[in-house]
């Protein structure tokens, strides 16, 4: 079945770049998403990429997609302490319903 | 735009009672809403998909008689946890699918409801 894998933890220093990686299994996924979850809160959609794209940049965020390896990454430039959160990778499946499968989330800790 | 609210944000109830959680799309109409459950330090697990005016579709292993879902209007879906037990304690998150606001089938998430059953 479908599966989304992420590393569980990442620790960086303030000002450095963070790279969060994700692998997925469903080659028919149309969209791939990155969500951010702060403690005790719901999920905030950060960015998404269409499956026929290789890269998407949005301010400090850069998403890279390697369709051959089914690998997705999120790069956060100039990481700030406010970026500390859990980041979830998700792929869409299920045709018109657009259901999502989430990875377990990567906890990003930013040290001052 | 694309704001989803949940009410209540947290609730404590006694074992055996029922609890209703509301999910509202505030500035758009959502024909499809989703209910997720999240255990501590775990990912989101989809419980059910709720379509306005029809019965919800439950994921395998989710008891439909225990988790009652009603999607009565294009802006409101409710999840009722019936005869709650301590093992039902969890963080429940809803999302609403926005009709191609940007692209694709984007889901916008509510802030979640923390349920504690004593």
């Amino acid at each position: 079945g479908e599966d989304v894998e992420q590393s569980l933890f990442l620790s960086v220093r303030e000002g450095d770049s963070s790279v969060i990686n994700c692998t997925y299994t469903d080659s028919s996924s149309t969209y791939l998403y990155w969500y951010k979850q702060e403690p005790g809160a719901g999920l905030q959609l950060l960015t998404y990429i269409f499956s026929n794209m290789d890269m998407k940049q949005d301010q400090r965020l850069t998403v890279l997609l390697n369709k051959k390896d089914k690998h997705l990454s999120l790069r956060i430039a100039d990481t700030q302490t406010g970026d500390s959160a859990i980041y979830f990778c998700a792929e869409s499946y299920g045709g018109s319903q657009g259901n999502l499968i989430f990875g377990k989330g990567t906890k990003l800790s930013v040290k001052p | 735009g694309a704001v989803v609210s949940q009410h209540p944000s947290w609730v404590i109830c006694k074992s055996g009672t029922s609890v209703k959680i509301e999910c509202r799309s505030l500035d758009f109409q959502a024909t499809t809403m989703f209910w997720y459950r999240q255990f501590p330090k775990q990912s989101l697990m989809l419980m059910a998909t709720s379509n306005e005016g029809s019965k919800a579709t439950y994921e395998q292993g989710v008891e439909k008689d225990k988790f009652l879902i009603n999607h009565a209007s294009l802006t409101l879906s409710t999840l009722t946890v019936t005869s709650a037990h301590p093992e039902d304690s969890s963080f429940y998150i809803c999302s609403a699918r926005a009709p191609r606001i940007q692209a694709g089938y984007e889901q916008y998430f509510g802030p979640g409801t923390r349920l504690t059953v004593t």
Side-chain angles (χ1 to χ4, degrees), chain B:
Chain B
V3 178
V4 177
S5 70
Q6 278 184 245
H7 178 80
S9 54
W10 59 270
V11 57
I12 301 173
C13 70
K14 292 188 176 181
S15 187
T17 60
S18 295
V19 174
K20 180 184 283 188
I21 302 170
E22 293 185 349
C23 176
R24 292 182 186 273
S25 57
L26 298 185
D27 50 2
F28 66 98
Q29 293 183 332
T31 54
T32 304
M33 289 185 172
F34 302 86
W35 286 96
Y36 294 86
R37 184 173 179 176
Q38 186 181 31
F39 290 104
K41 299 181 182 180
Q42 296 281 328
S43 187
L44 279 73
M45 298 299 295
L46 178 65
M47 298 174 66
T49 303
S50 167
N51 289 298
E52 186 265 340
S54 63
K55 291 183 179 180
T57 302
Y58 290 81
E59 295 298 301
Q60 193 172 6
V62 178
E63 298 176 60
K64 60 180 68 176
D65 294 331
K66 182 167 185 60
F67 298 100
L68 301 178
I69 291 172
N70 187 337
H71 194 154
S73 75
L74 288 172
T75 59
L76 173 64
S77 177
T78 60
L79 168 68
T80 302
V81 183
T82 62
S83 187
H85 290 284
E87 57 265 30
D88 298 324
S89 298
S90 190
F91 194 52
Y92 292 87
I93 304 177
C94 75
S95 71
R97 196 182 83 180
R100 306 188 80 88
I101 287 180
Q102 294 185 39
Y105 303 103
E106 294 178 16
Q107 291 185 32
Y108 290 88
F109 286 79
T113 297
R114 173 77 58 194
L115 170 63
T116 302
V117 184
T118 61

Side-chain angles (χ1 to χ4, degrees), chain A residues 73-91:
Chain A
S73 68
L74 173 69
R75 178 177 181 270
I76 305 173
D78 187 24
T79 312
Q80 303 297 306
T81 54
D83 294 324
S84 294
I86 299 176
Y87 291 81
F88 290 95
C89 166
E91 62 170 339

